[in-house]
C-alpha cells in the first residue's frame, strides 16, 4: 500500500516538473522604430538583388504602422548609422535640425490675435503674366 502512495507522489512531482519545463519563455520585446527601419532597408536590398516582389510588398505593408512611430530623432539615428557615402550625404540635408539645449528658449504658440513665431511667406515682387 505504501508503494501506491509513493508512486502517486512521484507522479505528482513528475507532473509539476513537466509543467515547469513547458512554460513558455518570455516574449521578445517589440523592435524599436530604428530597428524596424533597418530591417525594412535589408528587405528592400534583398528584393532588389533577388527580383522578388514579395519583400517589397512586406515593407509596404509595414510602413503604415512604422510611420506613426517615427520621429526626427529616430531618423537621425538610422541615417547616422549608415556608412559614409553618397547615400548618407544625400539624406543628411533632409533631416530637421535638432534644437540646441543651450539656447534655453522654446517656440511657444501664443493665443489668438497674438504674435506668432512662424515666418510669413515671402511676397512675390511681380505677378506672373497670363498666357492666352
Amino acid at each position: 500500500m505504501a508503494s501506491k502512495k509513493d508512486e502517486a507522489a512521484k507522479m505528482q512531482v513528475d507532473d509539476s516538473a513537466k509543467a515547469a519545463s513547458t512554460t513558455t519563455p518570455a516574449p521578445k520585446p517589440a523592435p524599436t522604430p530604428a530597428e524596424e527601419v533597418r530591417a525594412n532597408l535589408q528587405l528592400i536590398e534583398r528584393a532588389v538583388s533577388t527580383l522578388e516582389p514579395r519583400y517589397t510588398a512586406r515593407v509596404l505593408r509595414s510602413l503604415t504602422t512604422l510611420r506613426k512611430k517615427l520621429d526626427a530623432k529616430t531618423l537621425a539615428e538610422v541615417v547616422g548609422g549608415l556608412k559614409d557615402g553618397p547615400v548618407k550625404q544625400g539624406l543628411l540635408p533632409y533631416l530637421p535640425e535638432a534644437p540646441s539645449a543651450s539656447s534655453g528658449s522654446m517656440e511657444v504658440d501664443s493665443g489668438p490675435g497674438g504674435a506668432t513665431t512662424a515666418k510669413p511667406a515671402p511676397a512675390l515682387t511681380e505677378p506672373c503674366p497670363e498666357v492666352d
Side-chain angles (χ1 to χ4, degrees):
M1 185 130 172
S3 64
K4 287 184 181 182
K5 288 182 181 179
D6 291 337
E7 287 178 22
K10 286 181 185 179
M11 290 177 75
Q12 288 177 352
V13 171
D14 290 340
D15 290 340
S16 63
K18 285 180 185 177
S21 66
T22 59
T23 57
T24 58
K28 189 175 180 181
T32 64
E35 290 171 348
E36 287 184 45
V37 170
R38 287 188 200 104
N40 283 344
L41 289 174
Q42 288 175 351
L43 285 173
I44 291 171
E45 288 175 359
R46 190 181 306 164
V48 169
S49 65
T50 61
L51 299 175
E52 285 285 335
R54 62 186 169 142
Y55 298 122
T56 307
R58 190 180 194 182
V59 170
L60 291 174
R61 281 193 309 267
S62 70
L63 282 181
T64 54
T65 56
L66 182 60
R67 261 183 91 184
K68 295 174 185 176
K69 300 176 192 176
L70 285 179
D71 58 358
K73 181 180 175 184
T74 304
L75 290 176
E77 179 184 338
V78 171
V79 172
L82 295 175
K83 293 185 271 185
D84 288 334
V87 174
K88 184 175 182 177
Q89 297 305 319
L91 291 174
L92 284 175
Y94 293 105
L95 290 177
E97 295 294 323
S100 60
S102 62
S103 67
S105 65
M106 293 176 50
E107 289 185 20
V108 178
D109 292 338
S110 60
T116 60
T117 58
K119 296 179 183 177
L124 296 174
T125 57
E126 289 184 29
C128 297
E130 291 184 18
V131 179
D132 288 328

